[in-house]
Amino acid sequence: MNIHEYQAKDLLRGYGVAVPRGGVAFTPEEAASVARELGGPVWVVKSQIHAGGRGAGRFQDNPGGKGGVRVVKSVEEVSSNAAEMLNHVLVTKQTGPSGKEVKRLYVEEGADIKRELYLGLLIDRATGRVTIIASTEGGMEIEEVAHNTPEKIVKVAVDPATGIQGYHTRKVAFALGLEGKQVGAAAKFIQAAYKAFVELDCAIVEINPLIVTGSGDILALDAKMSFDDNALFRHKDVAALRDEAEEDPAEIEAAKHELNYVKLDGNIGCMVNGAGLAMATMDIIKLYGAEPANFLDVGGGATKERVTAAFKLILSDSAVEGILVNIFGGIMRCDVIAEGVVAAARDVKLHVPLVVRLEGTNVALGKKILAESGLPILSADNLDDAAKKIVAAVKKEAA
Ligand code: GDP
Ligand code: MN
């Protein structure tokens, strides 16, 4: 789960990470009142969307205008810029061409930027350790820095048995070219960010840019936090920060029915039980020259209702031109699946080809239910046969 910049800064501030003062605003009036409270002379009005590249992004209705992060010098300008941004669609490198509507702003005191650095914390899957990533090349996308000038990135892995130590933070501080009192300030900053990362079960904490101000202070000018969904149950306060408007509606619907659904770019919808079988199904669709429209694992103990919900979810994607159901009835019986498939196909007035491959407990009964349903369901005997049939059926429809 991701959260907004202002929420991340509030959480990090609570751990002792140095962040500028600021406040969230949902209207231009609120933005002006936050600005008055902060006091001038410089404010920054920042679009709050779950995507980066806001500074360089442009509003859809004014591509020649200013971006999603604006530095202004009066309270009037705070509110006029807020009006130009709120309820307008911001397009950035990370939002894709359709952009994201800005519903909230963060109004912050302006900072005097001397240097823009990069600091990130993540779990390195190769070492299984929380790893600090730092670079002198802040303010730009770290992926680009990693690609063009990998020597400008330093990585420091933290052993969970020792936790973060002075030599970790010093290594980072020196790599960032910090000196004097900044080394101590950076140590405090990094320790606090690490504590937040571990205690809140984060997947990513990214400060880009981390700045050095004219007076030599270190501040988080931007903050991104992403959390491990599987640990959210023990962080009710973090879970409450979820902004559903920023998430894929189909994925929210899936979560309600305990379905693991990830939307993809292809045209063949997949309904499978078990993540491994779902991956294999996607692979074999690709092998036969087509692309899956989604990953969907209905789980081991799926009910008829859940199968129906899964079916509707797949069909809510207008790119879907055919569906492949691939179920191994182990704990779940094939006849229950077949009933669910038939009920759902009737319910949604199925309009695309459907191939069903069932195997396992009560498979004969399951196939009988499908055959006697009167619905145009193509039955398959194995995974290979199923993939060939659905790819051919979709190609035939398109021709
Ligand atoms: P992003 O583009 O979505 O990553 O948003 P950021 O929060 O990183 O802001 C983009 C850029 O705006 C930063 O890299 C800074 O150069 C600039 N910026 C943000 N806040 C301030 C500020 O207080 N003062 C000044 N002068 N520039 C700022
Ligand atoms: Mn940034």
Side-chain angles (χ1 to χ4, degrees), residues 62-356:
N62 188 11
K66 290 189 266 178
V69 175
R70 301 180 182 185
V71 180
V72 299
K73 299 213 165 98
S74 70
V75 173
E76 291 67 44
E77 279 181 282
V78 168
S79 74
S80 63
N81 279 281
E84 282 175 34
M85 296 157 91
L86 280 169
N87 306 317
H88 290 256
V89 174
L90 180 60
V91 181
T92 82
K93 246 179 143 175
Q94 291 184 10
T95 61
S98 53
K100 278 198 164 161
E101 192 175 330
V102 178
K103 302 260 190 211
R104 318 170 184 203
L105 296 172
Y106 190 47
V107 181
E108 210 172 50
E109 59 182 347
D112 170 21
I113 304 175
K114 198 159 157 230
R115 298 180 64 208
E116 295 199 17
L117 311 170
Y118 177 94
L119 182 76
L121 286 91
L122 49 78
I123 292 167
D124 178 354
R125 307 219 167 253
T127 59
R129 291 180 178 186
V130 176
T131 300
I132 304 165
I133 314 275
S135 173
T136 51
E137 308 306 294
M140 57 183 100
E141 272 185 69
I142 197 67
E143 290 82 359
E144 268 172 41
V145 181
H147 184 260
N148 300 328
T149 48
E151 70 282 1
K152 289 190 172 159
I153 292 181
V154 58
K155 291 185 196 171
V156 181
V158 179
D159 185 331
T162 65
I164 194 157
Q165 301 288 320
Y167 65 88
H168 295 126
T169 61
R170 278 194 295 279
K171 187 167 176 197
V172 172
F174 295 141
L176 291 176
L178 301 176
E179 43 196 28
K181 67 165 191 174
Q182 290 166 4
V183 177
K188 189 172 165 256
F189 186 108
I190 298 164
Q191 301 240 9
Y194 177 85
K195 189 161 193 269
F197 186 100
V198 173
E199 282 186 12
L200 297 175
D201 291 306
C202 291
I204 295 171
V205 169
E206 187 179 60
I207 313 292
N208 188 20
L210 167 75
I211 62 155
V212 180
T213 67
S215 50
D217 291 324
I218 286 167
L219 275 178
L221 213 62
D222 190 7
K224 173 182 175 169
M225 286 176 104
S226 174
F227 301 87
D228 179 349
D229 289 340
N230 295 317
L232 275 178
F233 73 94
R234 56 185 186 191
H235 303 290
K236 300 275 185 280
D237 45 344
V238 172
L241 300 177
R242 171 164 248 142
D243 181 359
E244 289 202 344
E246 292 285 338
E247 296 179 11
D248 185 312
E251 290 183 16
I252 294 170
E253 184 63 21
K256 278 186 201 150
H257 298 282
E258 292 174 61
L259 298 163
N260 290 310
Y261 173 88
V262 180
K263 173 152 170 44
L264 301 169
D265 295 329
N267 58 356
I268 297 184
C270 309
M271 182 166 97
V272 190
N273 64 337
L277 191 57
M279 298 299 274
T281 305
M282 289 172 12
D283 281 349
I284 203 157
I285 288 172
K286 280 172 174 273
L287 181 69
Y288 286 108
E291 293 287 329
N294 63 277
F295 168 96
L296 196 158
D297 171 12
V298 293
T303 57
K304 191 170 135 188
E305 287 69 33
R306 207 189 281 178
V307 170
T308 310
F311 227 82
K312 287 185 180 167
L313 198 63
I314 293 173
L315 284 170
S316 70
D317 176 358
S318 58
V320 168
E321 291 169 10
I323 299 179
L324 172 54
V325 174
N326 183 23
I327 302 279
F328 175 77
I331 300 167
M332 185 156 53
R333 301 187 331 253
C334 292
D335 54 316
V336 173
I337 294 294
E339 275 174 15
V341 168
V342 168
R346 286 214 174 96
D347 216 24
V348 300
K349 300 188 178 58
L350 186 72
H351 56 276
V352 296
L354 168 64
V355 171
V356 180

